[in-house]
């Protein structure tokens, strides 16, 4: 009786604290209720009851409060403290994550008329094609909107009825319902669409106007890729009505050489790039509908192994994680040797280890996405990394996996999160914590075991975020990484002194990136 009366007296602050905790951790009421069910279904509050608790209209039982305390990794007493929260740790309602922009001043120089004249000249001088520029614009659009495109999500959900377990037969039926005719082809057949693609790449499917989809017979052995190709073509049919659509999907190998592409913006190139992005996003939403996929990830702690259960590719699973997660601070890389990032998403603002539009001869060899090429294991691996970004120290955790596509090309897929906002959300000064870790890393030559006290803090963050591979990352050494080798923060650095104006590496050889360093879509 005494416990109940104590809870009732403090129900107002209690509800406010729960609401602020929930919002700081980017959880909806549905998310929080689901997390509580995983802890203990009997004491878990419903969505409506949680809402009333937050508004001070209901008081949780002792068991329910203990459930919430476990979800948020807080002692029960913290919820009963009569002290209101400090302003410094209240939810930030500003723009979260993504790469930062710059003020365009003086403003008159950035008018539409001036930009339409200047951009083609700039691209021509730098050797950037209109299609590359379109992909840059699309990625900036993705990152600005935190990968949220509700119209495309709804269109996919209407077509797939939010079915998380669509098979290739289901997708073929849907394709036919949308007016597409399916045919198979083999590489010996002389199709003009196949001739248009670089010989080192495998054409997996293509659309021949107005409505015939040709599928490579090799897809019969790769259900996950077959499902993706069918979903993309369905996306074009639903979103673009086959009106002028040119869709050729290919895998592996090198892209076209720069000289084979337009060096000035081309309206058709830009439109085609945008339509390709829409169809690809639609495909992911069709194969992994937001609500059920999020529930599945929540039950598996965002483990990448869920792709096997759904028979989808690792790439589709990773990219959808960045969309459906309530935590917005994600990045995703698709890397090919020796130094090509083929697909990039930076919702957490992480700088690129090097860009596809520039050549860098001395990339940092400690980035997890590139270290993975040297590992024999095909199992995924997690890494905690510290990186200085715009004068501030950030703590990232990522999971990387080495895969081989249908064309036999090996590449590494990597998804990761920025942990600083999650640490701040728990009322801890993330900058101070991460600077302390960076000093320890440098003291020990660039990597270190996370100290016990900080490890416990990060374990709590991992459990609140419900991301299992953060805990796996804590089991390995924390590494300092950098954008470029010649700015290495390690002491001694990974790179030696200059020879003939170039840095020499003192740890291991990193191959020179290829001349074709275009920024391209996966």
């Amino acid at each position: 009786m005494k416990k109940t009366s104590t809870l009732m007296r403090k129900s107002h602050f209690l509800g406010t604290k729960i609401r602020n905790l929930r919002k700081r951790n980017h959880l909806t009421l549905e998310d929080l209720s689901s997390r509580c069910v995983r802890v203990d279904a009997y004491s878990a509050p419903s969505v409506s009851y949680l809402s009333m608790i937050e508004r001070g209209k209901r008081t949780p039982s002792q068991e329910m409060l203990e459930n919430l305390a476990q979800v948020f990794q807080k002692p029960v007493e913290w919820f009963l403290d009569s002290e209101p929260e400090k302003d410094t740790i209240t939810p930030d309602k500003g723009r979260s994550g993504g790469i930062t922009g710059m003020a365009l001043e003086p403003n008159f120089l950035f008018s539409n008329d001036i930009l339409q004249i200047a951009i083609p000249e700039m691209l021509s001088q730098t050797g950037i094609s209109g299609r590359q520029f379109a992909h840059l614009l699309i990625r900036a659009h993705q990152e600005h909107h935190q990968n949220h495109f509700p119209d495309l999500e709804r269109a996919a959900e209407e077509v797939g009825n939010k079915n998380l377990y669509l098979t290739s037969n289901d997708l073929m039926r849907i394709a036919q319902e949308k007016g597409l005719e399916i045919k198979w082809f083999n590489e010996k057949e002389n199709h003009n669409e196949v001739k248009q693609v670089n010989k080192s790449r495998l054409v997996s499917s293509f659309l021949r106007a107005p409505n015939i989809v040709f599928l490579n017979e090799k897809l019969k052995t790769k259900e996950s890729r077959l499902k993706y190709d069918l979903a993309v073509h369905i996306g074009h049919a639903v979103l673009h009505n086959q009106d002028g659509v040119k869709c050729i999907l290919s895998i592996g190998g090198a892209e076209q050489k720069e000289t084979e592409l337009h060096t000035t913006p081309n309206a058709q190139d830009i439109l085609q790039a945008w339509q390709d992005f829409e169809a690809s996003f639609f495909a992911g939403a069709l194969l992994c509908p937001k609500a059920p996929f999020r529930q599945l990830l929540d039950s598996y702690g965002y483990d990448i192994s869920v792709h096997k259960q759904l028979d989808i590719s690792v790439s589709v699973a990773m990219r959808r994680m960045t969309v459906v997660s309530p935590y917005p601070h994600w990045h995703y890389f698709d890397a090919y040797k020796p130094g090509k990032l083929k697909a990039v998403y930076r919702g957490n603002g992480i700088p690129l280890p090097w860009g596809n539009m520039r050549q860098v001869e001395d990339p940092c060899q400690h980035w997890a996405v590139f270290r993975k090429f040297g590992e024999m294991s095909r199992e995924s691996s997690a890494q905690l990394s510290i990186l200085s970004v715009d004068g501030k120290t950030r703590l990232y955790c990522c999971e990387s996996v080495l895969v081989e596509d249908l064309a036999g090309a090996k590449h590494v897929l990597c998804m990761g999160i920025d942990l600083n906002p999650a640490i701040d959300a728990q009322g801890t000064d993330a900058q101070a914590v991460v600077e302390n870790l960076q000093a320890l890393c440098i003291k020990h030559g660039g990597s270190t075991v996370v100290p016990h006290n900080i490890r416990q803090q990060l374990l709590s963050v991992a459990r609140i975020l419900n991301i299992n591979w953060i805990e796996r990352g804590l089991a390995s050494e924390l590494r300092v990484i950098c954008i470029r080798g010649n700015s290495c923060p390690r002491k001694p650095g990974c790179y030696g002194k200059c020879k003939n104006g170039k840095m020499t590496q003192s740890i291991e050889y990193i191959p020179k990136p290829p001349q074709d360093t275009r920024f391209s879509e996966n």
Side-chain angles (χ1 to χ4, degrees), residues 239-273:
L239 301 172
H240 311 130
N241 300 312
Q242 295 101 32
D243 184 19
V245 171
K246 177 184 177 183
C247 180
I248 302 175
L249 300 179
S250 59
I251 306 170
E255 300 280 358
Q256 289 171 287
K257 293 182 179 179
E258 202 65 49
T259 55
E260 298 172 357
L261 297 166
H262 300 292
T263 56
T264 57
N266 179 289
Q268 190 60 42
D269 278 345
I270 293 173
L271 175 62
Q272 184 65 51

Side-chain angles (χ1 to χ4, degrees), residues 335-340 353-354 359-374 479 482-486 488 494-496 502-514:
Y336 284 75
K337 288 183 73 174
K340 182 179 180 61
W354 68 79
Q359 182 174 311
V360 177
E361 297 183 10
D362 56 349
C364 176
Q365 59 216 285
H366 298 286
W367 282 70
V369 67
F370 303 117
R371 288 182 63 237
K372 191 66 181 175
F373 280 115
R479 290 174 174 260
C482 64
I483 306 302
R484 297 286 300 275
N486 55 10
C488 180
C494 300
Y495 295 77
K502 294 184 179 180
M503 299 296 293
T504 59
Q505 297 169 343
S506 60
I507 289 186
E508 59 180 305
Y509 171 69
I510 299 292
K512 179 179 177 181

Side-chain angles (χ1 to χ4, degrees), residues 28 102 129 142 154 191 217 225 248 251 260 263-264 318 358 369 383 415 419 469:
T28 64
M102 60 177 287
S129 72
Q142 272 184 280
R154 283 194 293 271
H191 293 288
E217 289 183 348
R225 178 69 197 199
I248 302 175
I251 306 170
E260 298 172 357
T263 56
T264 57
M318 281 187 170
R358 60 179 178 167
V369 67
Q383 176 176 311
M415 62 178 177
L419 284 167
W469 37 270

Side-chain angles (χ1 to χ4, degrees), residues 131-144:
R131 193 167 180 82
Q132 291 171 352
F133 184 59
H135 285 309
L136 259 182
L137 290 173
I138 290 168
R139 283 193 173 82
H141 187 65
Q142 272 184 280
E143 289 155 1
H144 178 71

Side-chain angles (χ1 to χ4, degrees), residues 210-496:
N211 68 330
I212 303 176
V213 173
F214 286 84
L215 302 172
N216 193 317
E217 289 183 348
K218 287 190 174 182
L219 291 175
K220 293 178 179 178
T221 65
K222 193 74 170 179
E223 173 79 357
S224 60
R225 178 69 197 199
L226 173 58
K227 287 167 64 172
Y228 174 75
D229 277 38
L230 285 167
V232 168
H233 290 295
I234 292 169
H236 277 302
V238 170
L239 301 172
H240 311 130
N241 300 312
Q242 295 101 32
D243 184 19
V245 171
K246 177 184 177 183
C247 180
I248 302 175
L249 300 179
S250 59
I251 306 170
E255 300 280 358
Q256 289 171 287
K257 293 182 179 179
E258 202 65 49
T259 55
E260 298 172 357
L261 297 166
H262 300 292
T263 56
T264 57
N266 179 289
Q268 190 60 42
D269 278 345
I270 293 173
L271 175 62
Q272 184 65 51
W274 175 250
Q275 289 180 337
D276 287 346
F277 164 74
E278 286 189 314
S280 178
F281 190 96
F282 175 97
L286 181 60
L287 297 174
C288 304
K290 190 169 187 177
F293 188 54
R294 185 166 170 173
Q295 291 169 1
L296 181 68
L297 291 174
D298 200 51
S299 64
Y300 279 83
Y302 282 75
D303 198 292
I304 192 57
S305 63
V306 298
H307 81 93
K308 298 175 183 177
Q309 185 174 334
L310 302 179
D311 214 348
I312 58 174
S313 69
V314 178
S315 175
V316 169
M318 281 187 170
R319 285 188 291 177
R320 284 301 285 171
M321 283 185 192
T322 72
V323 178
V324 308
S325 170
Y327 191 68
H329 309 282
W330 288 77
H331 68 260
Y332 168 80
F333 295 148
D334 182 359
Y336 284 75
K337 288 183 73 174
K340 182 179 180 61
L341 292 178
K342 189 182 178 192
V344 172
Y345 170 70
R346 294 180 291 160
N348 58 14
I350 188 172
L352 294 177
W354 68 79
N356 289 52
M357 289 188 179
R358 60 179 178 167
Q359 182 174 311
V360 177
E361 297 183 10
D362 56 349
C364 176
Q365 59 216 285
H366 298 286
W367 282 70
V369 67
F370 303 117
R371 288 182 63 237
K372 191 66 181 175
F373 280 115
E375 296 181 11
M376 299 300 293
S377 172
R378 290 297 183 90
E379 297 298 319
S380 63
S381 58
Q383 176 176 311
L384 283 168
S385 305
I386 287 180
L387 174 66
S388 292
V389 182
D390 297 328
K392 294 186 177 180
T393 311
R394 316 296 298 186
L395 176 63
Y396 297 97
C397 185
C398 67
E399 182 168 46
S400 305
V401 60
L402 180 66
V403 298
E404 183 174 319
D405 62 30
L406 198 61
K410 291 184 174 64
H411 55 121
V412 172
L413 300 172
C414 176
M415 62 178 177
I417 60 171
D418 180 354
L419 284 167
N420 284 50
I423 297 170
D424 282 330
Q426 309 315 313
T428 302
D429 185 348
Q431 191 64 33
V433 170
V434 181
E435 285 178 357
N436 183 20
L437 287 173
Q438 183 183 48
L440 283 173
C441 280
I442 294 174
K443 179 180 178 181
H444 292 91
S447 61
T448 187
V449 174
V450 178
H452 178 74
N453 61 325
I454 299 179
R455 176 184 170 83
Q456 292 306 116
Q457 285 181 299
L458 296 179
L459 279 174
S460 292
V461 168
R463 288 162 187 168
I464 292 168
L465 294 177
N466 192 32
I467 298 177
N468 290 346
W469 37 270
I470 299 176
E471 295 194 39
R472 294 206 298 274
L474 284 165
S476 302
E477 285 193 328
L478 168 68
R479 290 174 174 260
V480 171
I481 61 176
C482 64
I483 306 302
R484 297 286 300 275
N486 55 10
S487 61
C488 180
R490 293 168 176 247
K491 296 178 182 178
C494 300
Y495 295 77

Side-chain angles (χ1 to χ4, degrees), residues 89-160:
I89 58 171
T90 53
D92 179 10
K93 296 183 179 179
R95 179 172 175 265
S96 59
I99 52 176
T100 57
M102 60 177 287
L104 300 181
E105 297 292 346
N107 189 263
F108 66 87
L109 289 178
F110 296 91
S111 67
N112 288 340
D113 290 342
I114 297 297
L115 287 176
Q116 285 179 327
I117 296 170
I119 288 174
E121 181 68 17
M122 177 191 71
L123 300 183
S124 178
Q125 289 186 23
T126 57
I128 298 169
S129 72
R131 193 167 180 82
Q132 291 171 352
F133 184 59
H135 285 309
L136 259 182
L137 290 173
I138 290 168
R139 283 193 173 82
H141 187 65
Q142 272 184 280
E143 289 155 1
H144 178 71
H145 290 280
Q146 293 281 216
N147 233 354
H148 293 152
F149 300 96
D151 291 346
L152 298 177
E153 295 277 359
R154 283 194 293 271
E157 288 173 359
E158 289 174 4
V159 170

